[in-house]
Amino acid sequence: MNCLAGVLFGAIMGSFANVLIWRLPRRELPWSPRHSYCPHCHAGVKARDNIPLLSFLLLKGRCRYCRGSISWRYPLVEATMAAAAYLTCRRLGLEQWSDWIAFGGFLIFLTALTAVAFIDFETYLIPDALSVGLAFFMIAFAPWNPLLGPSALGRLWASCLGALCGGGLYFIFAAVGKKLYKMEAMGGGDVKLAAAIGAALGIESIFSVVFLSSTFGVLYAAPMLAMRRLRRLDPVPYGPFLVLAAAVYFWFGMLFPAFLKFPFAP
């Protein structure tokens, strides 16, 4: 039952992630206007039409008022967050009140990461409101983060160190890439996102996230190049691969071999 409640919370947060994905690139505030609206006719979406997953099915993917099509991205994001919440339940367990606090913090973390992945994939930009805001949130949340050690003060230190090392390492990658290729090889948004991931998962995660994100990027780019849907110097958004790497490490990092763990983690 606890995991079922967690999945429902995840689907609700997926609905909020859709708000972020739509509004932030358009410089709209997530909370204003208060109600969601149809992108075609701008009619406000009533609560009965805003139930995660279910409303899309009942409306058959169409706006109630103008019958304009609703993007499949909306149920996809909600289903993704529901699945992410289930995996988070399995990762943390929801037996004690402290587990629920940890679950809530990481649900916010995963919601922001999901929004980042979709926004970056569509716009090649990562809003500071998500990357920088998430970094500060995860540092503030650190005393309740069970991944970072046994004591509250130690967790706070581990989070700050993770943010510094994660962001610092990717800043070096960006600087070296620009020097080698005479062009921007990695955006500032990726550096800030790496800092947020380090703040959430700690310094021990950094090597794994670098390895996984690079692997996912190659697995995406190689077939796209082979099919000539990408050219060698075409930009590829890196944020989605960082997001996927962070999520995989969070859920399954305890299974990773020692060589993928940062050797100087406290």
Side-chain angles (χ1 to χ4, degrees):
M1 289 299 294
N2 286 346
C3 268
L4 177 59
V7 167
L8 293 176
F9 281 124
I12 292 169
M13 291 302 287
S15 182
F16 179 65
N18 275 319
V19 173
L20 297 176
I21 293 166
W22 175 261
R23 295 189 181 185
L24 289 184
R26 293 164 177 80
R27 300 185 182 276
E28 297 180 6
L29 295 174
W31 53 85
S32 180
R34 188 165 60 90
H35 296 292
S36 298
Y37 60 87
C38 171
H40 303 292
C41 67
H42 294 274
V45 178
K46 296 181 184 289
R48 63 179 178 177
D49 293 334
N50 209 18
I51 303 170
L53 294 173
L54 184 60
S55 290
F56 182 86
L57 295 175
L58 292 176
L59 292 170
K60 298 180 180 179
R62 299 242 171 222
C63 170
R64 179 181 293 276
Y65 304 102
C66 70
R67 305 308 297 166
S69 63
I70 301 172
S71 170
W72 275 93
R73 189 199 73 217
Y74 290 91
L76 175 62
V77 169
E78 291 162 358
T80 297
M81 279 304 303
Y86 175 77
L87 290 172
T88 303
C89 291
R90 303 293 297 180
R91 174 70 176 87
L92 299 175
L94 296 177
E95 303 300 328
Q96 304 175 6
W97 66 270
S98 57
D99 299 331
W100 280 99
I101 293 175
F103 174 79
F106 275 104
L107 197 59
I108 292 172
F109 173 65
L110 293 167
T111 300
L113 289 188
T114 300
V116 163
F118 279 87
I119 291 173
D120 193 25
F121 192 79
E122 292 179 2
T123 69
Y124 295 84
L125 293 172
I126 300 176
D128 284 350
L130 290 176
S131 57
V132 177
L134 184 60
F136 280 109
F137 171 78
M138 294 313 299
I139 291 172
F141 170 70
W144 297 275
N145 185 343
L147 273 61
L148 300 180
S151 70
L153 189 59
R155 290 171 176 176
L156 184 59
W157 165 245
S159 182
C160 292
L161 189 61
L164 181 64
C165 291
L169 182 61
Y170 274 89
F171 178 81
I172 293 171
F173 289 163
V176 171
K178 188 171 183 178
K179 187 75 172 176
L180 289 176
Y181 298 109
K182 309 301 182 185
M183 59 184 293
E184 188 176 85
M186 182 173 292
D190 299 319
V191 175
K192 297 166 192 173
L193 179 61
I197 291 170
L201 304 180
I203 190 173
E204 190 181 58
S205 70
I206 292 172
F207 279 3
S208 298
V209 169
V210 170
F211 173 78
L212 286 172
S213 59
S214 301
T215 301
F216 293 144
V218 170
L219 290 175
Y220 169 79
M224 296 291 282
L225 287 167
M227 293 185 293
R228 297 186 179 180
R229 298 185 66 179
L230 272 179
R231 293 177 296 180
R232 191 171 63 87
L233 295 180
D234 282 349
V236 175
Y238 186 61
F241 308 121
L242 264 178
V243 166
L244 185 57
V248 169
Y249 181 88
F250 169 53
W251 293 319
F252 308 111
M254 75 291 286
L255 304 176
F256 287 11
F259 74 86
L260 283 177
K261 303 296 180 67
F262 195 80
F264 305 112

